[in-house]
Amino acid sequence: MKNIIVIAYQCSPYRGSEYSVAWNHIINMSIDNRLTVLYGTSGNHMGDFEEMESYLKNHKHNNITFIPIVPSKITNALNYLNKKEIFNYSFYFAYKHWQRQVYAQVKKLLASDKYDLIHFLSPIGYREPGFLWKIDIPYIWGPIGGAANVPGELFDILTIKGKLKVLFRNVVNSIQLRYSLRLRKALNQVDVLLASTTEVQKIFEKTHNKTSIYIPENCLLHAPKLNTSKFDNVSVYQMLLVGRLDELKGNILFFKALAQIKKRNNIHVNIIGDGPARASLEEFAKSNGLDDIITFYGQLSRDQVLELYDSSHLHIITSLKEGNPTVIWESMGHGVPTLTLDHCGMHDTVCEKCGIKIPVTNSEQIVSDITEAIDNILEHPLHFEQLAHGTIECANKYLWNKRRELMNSYYDLAIERHNQRK
């Protein structure tokens, strides 16, 4: 049983996204290893530990020690503008300083105990490599992501503000990826680098000549299940979008396709989530006569969301930029195939057995391809059920018991490589 230090900035048993990525990893890997977990928040902002502390009062997990890294006065000062939602980018200055605190804490731990490995688990973004690569101990980083840019061919669906924001992000990302000295040093010292997508894997190999291992940052906790009754005497096929409604989700591409579908009276679209793009999407639906086939639910309880998954025939993702969104695993866990743009993590996870992939060309062609794909499946509705069973088959490849075996082998590999370097 290995003694491992895990860095997981966001970690919570109650939340999704990065929080659940860290939590699921920690709970599952603690079956075979002793984990000392350093974390920065279980809530909305750095230093919000209340949720985790409340949970730990009533729950005990063998082989796990949680250590909250309380932000210093300097760290809190750097994060002030972000916390007040005045200047969100100030978070990165605070997070860098928080990583210095992590480095100091890890050195204290190593001075008093023996550890076999350090795993910098999350957040998934590569931009802040921290400082743990300076320590002479086997080191694994990832799965990392965030290296890919939003395709320029899709800028035309963004507002002027959205174009400027994405352009700024693309430029900064390209500069950081190529010229960050600390990133280069970290990549030189890491024993095993994990990439969340094959796209990210190729980018790091091309940019830094650094090989990595592809492994998505999340997977399924439980065996998938399929509600086969939803295929009995179907007159209307249920389609589902889940997540924040903002420009980068590219939902307008799907809405434009809906307006062109021949048999649109044979489908209904359920939309779970809220965000700044909701008003414009509702206006588009109204002006294009889509009101009667779309329901905007806003935020729903977990049980309500799961009910909608169980009754859905097709899940939709049109994001312009993603890693491996949680909704992929949720839909796969319920046997719901996904129609998605063929890039990001979806390119790796979705195949012809469990979904429909739309080539990333330009917005006009994408809308046409989505329209054609949905028209085709409505003409051959048995394909819905075939894809559902294919989704269950694919989902079984992404269960945590298989992930545990892989991660343990990567831990062994990191130790082996480190010893060879020494």
Side-chain angles (χ1 to χ4, degrees):
M1 183 172 278
K2 297 179 182 65
N3 206 15
I4 301 172
I5 295 172
V6 178
I7 313 304
Y9 171 69
Q10 294 169 306
C11 185
S12 170
Y14 303 117
R15 299 183 177 225
S17 192
E18 294 266 13
Y19 299 86
S20 64
V21 168
W23 182 259
N24 293 339
H25 178 97
I26 291 160
I27 294 301
N28 282 278
M29 294 310 297
S30 68
I31 295 171
D32 306 309
N33 306 280
R34 284 187 296 270
L35 307 182
T36 299
V37 180
L38 280 58
Y39 71 105
T41 181
S42 61
N44 294 328
H45 292 287
M46 185 181 294
D48 292 348
F49 303 120
E50 292 81 4
E51 285 184 16
M52 182 69 85
E53 289 173 347
S54 175
Y55 174 87
L56 293 176
K57 285 179 182 177
N58 301 305
H59 300 81
K60 180 175 175 57
H61 293 282
N62 295 328
N63 299 329
I64 309 175
T65 301
F66 288 97
I67 300 177
I69 303 300
V70 180
S72 67
K73 289 182 179 180
I74 295 175
T75 305
N76 276 328
L78 292 170
N79 196 41
Y80 179 80
L81 293 179
N82 169 58
K83 203 168 183 177
K84 295 296 182 180
E85 298 187 354
I86 297 171
F87 182 63
N88 297 128
Y89 290 105
S90 70
F91 166 79
Y92 293 101
F93 298 103
Y95 179 59
K96 180 179 179 180
H97 205 272
W98 182 84
Q99 283 287 356
R100 291 187 186 277
Q101 293 183 241
V102 169
Y103 178 58
Q105 179 63 46
V106 169
K107 287 201 293 185
K108 288 180 182 178
L109 290 171
L110 291 171
S112 60
D113 204 349
K114 183 182 184 301
Y115 291 88
D116 300 293
L117 182 78
I118 296 174
H119 184 181
F120 183 1
L121 173 63
S122 67
I124 188 175
Y126 77 90
R127 291 184 189 83
E128 180 46 67
F131 302 92
L132 299 178
W133 47 270
K134 294 182 176 184
I135 298 173
D136 186 17
I137 185 173
Y139 185 53
I140 184 167
W141 183 17
I144 61 170
N149 287 330
V150 174
E153 296 83 359
L154 300 181
F155 270 44
D156 62 329
I157 69 168
L158 302 172
T159 61
I160 293 175
K161 182 180 178 180
K163 287 184 176 73
L164 291 173
K165 187 175 180 180
V166 171
L167 180 61
F168 174 77
R169 187 263 174 202
N170 280 3
V171 170
V172 170
N173 180 57
S174 297
I175 292 171
Q176 285 181 312
L177 180 64
R178 288 165 175 77
Y179 303 112
S180 170
L181 181 59
R182 207 151 42 86
L183 172 62
R184 192 177 298 276
K185 288 180 177 179
L187 291 174
N188 286 337
Q189 293 301 314
V190 67
D191 295 297
V192 171
L193 180 68
L194 303 177
S196 61
T197 70
T198 56
E199 184 178 23
V200 168
Q201 188 180 36
K202 291 172 184 175
I203 288 171
F204 274 94
E205 189 161 358
K206 179 180 178 180
T207 308
H208 291 282
N209 196 29
K210 181 67 179 181
T211 58
S212 59
I213 298 170
Y214 159 66
I215 183 170
E217 68 270 26
N218 215 337
C219 58
L220 292 168
L221 287 172
H222 307 291
K225 61 177 183 176
L226 175 61
N227 171 27
T228 56
S229 66
K230 66 186 176 184
F231 299 109
D232 297 339
N233 303 314
V234 186
S235 58
V236 175
Y237 289 90
Q238 301 294 323
M239 300 188 181
L240 185 65
L241 281 80
V242 183
R244 178 174 166 79
L245 301 179
D246 63 36
E247 288 188 90
L248 285 180
K249 296 300 181 183
N251 292 320
I252 190 61
L253 295 168
F254 178 60
F255 274 55
K256 287 182 177 180
L258 282 178
Q260 300 176 25
I261 289 170
K262 297 172 185 174
K263 294 185 176 181
R264 67 187 191 194
N265 289 330
N266 293 116
I267 62 175
H268 189 86
V269 181
N270 297 302
I271 301 179
I272 304 170
D274 216 333
R278 177 170 176 172
S280 62
L281 291 172
E282 288 180 328
E283 179 58 34
F284 182 92
K286 183 177 180 180
S287 60
N288 286 273
L290 303 175
D291 304 56
D292 55 341
I293 67 165
I294 299 177
T295 301
F296 288 87
Y297 283 96
Q299 302 298 336
L300 293 178
S301 70
R302 182 69 179 158
D303 288 342
Q304 290 173 309
V305 174
L306 296 181
E307 283 181 14
L308 283 171
Y309 272 115
D310 275 336
S311 61
S312 295
H313 299 92
L314 190 65
H315 168 234
I316 310 294
I317 298 179
T318 50
S319 297
L320 310 189
K321 183 179 74 70
E322 286 283 5
N324 288 281
T326 303
V327 291
I328 279 199
W329 311 110
E330 291 178 339
S331 60
M332 289 185 83
H334 291 266
V336 184
T338 295
L339 182 149
T340 177
L341 301 191
D342 187 14
H343 66 166
C344 306
M346 297 82 76
H347 169 79
D348 304 311
T349 309
V350 177
C351 69
E352 67 280 357
K353 287 184 180 179
C354 63
I356 301 167
K357 294 197 283 192
I358 305 297
V360 179
T361 48
N362 58 69
S363 59
E364 185 176 343
Q365 185 62 50
I366 287 171
V367 169
S368 175
D369 288 345
I370 293 174
T371 304
E372 182 180 351
I374 295 178
D375 277 338
N376 183 61
I377 198 170
L378 289 173
E379 287 289 341
H380 307 89
L382 284 177
H383 197 40
F384 280 113
E385 190 167 2
Q386 291 168 351
L387 282 173
H389 287 287
T391 301
I392 294 293
E393 180 184 340
C394 290
N396 280 307
K397 297 185 296 185
Y398 295 103
L399 293 173
W400 248 110
N401 60 347
K402 297 178 181 178
R403 167 66 65 90
R404 249 179 53 228
E405 293 176 12
L406 272 178
M407 286 304 306
N408 279 318
S409 71
Y410 298 154
Y411 284 169
D412 289 336
L413 179 61
I415 293 170
E416 179 186 335
R417 286 180 176 176
H418 187 82
N419 291 337
Q420 288 173 349
R421 284 201 295 141
K422 291 183 67 177

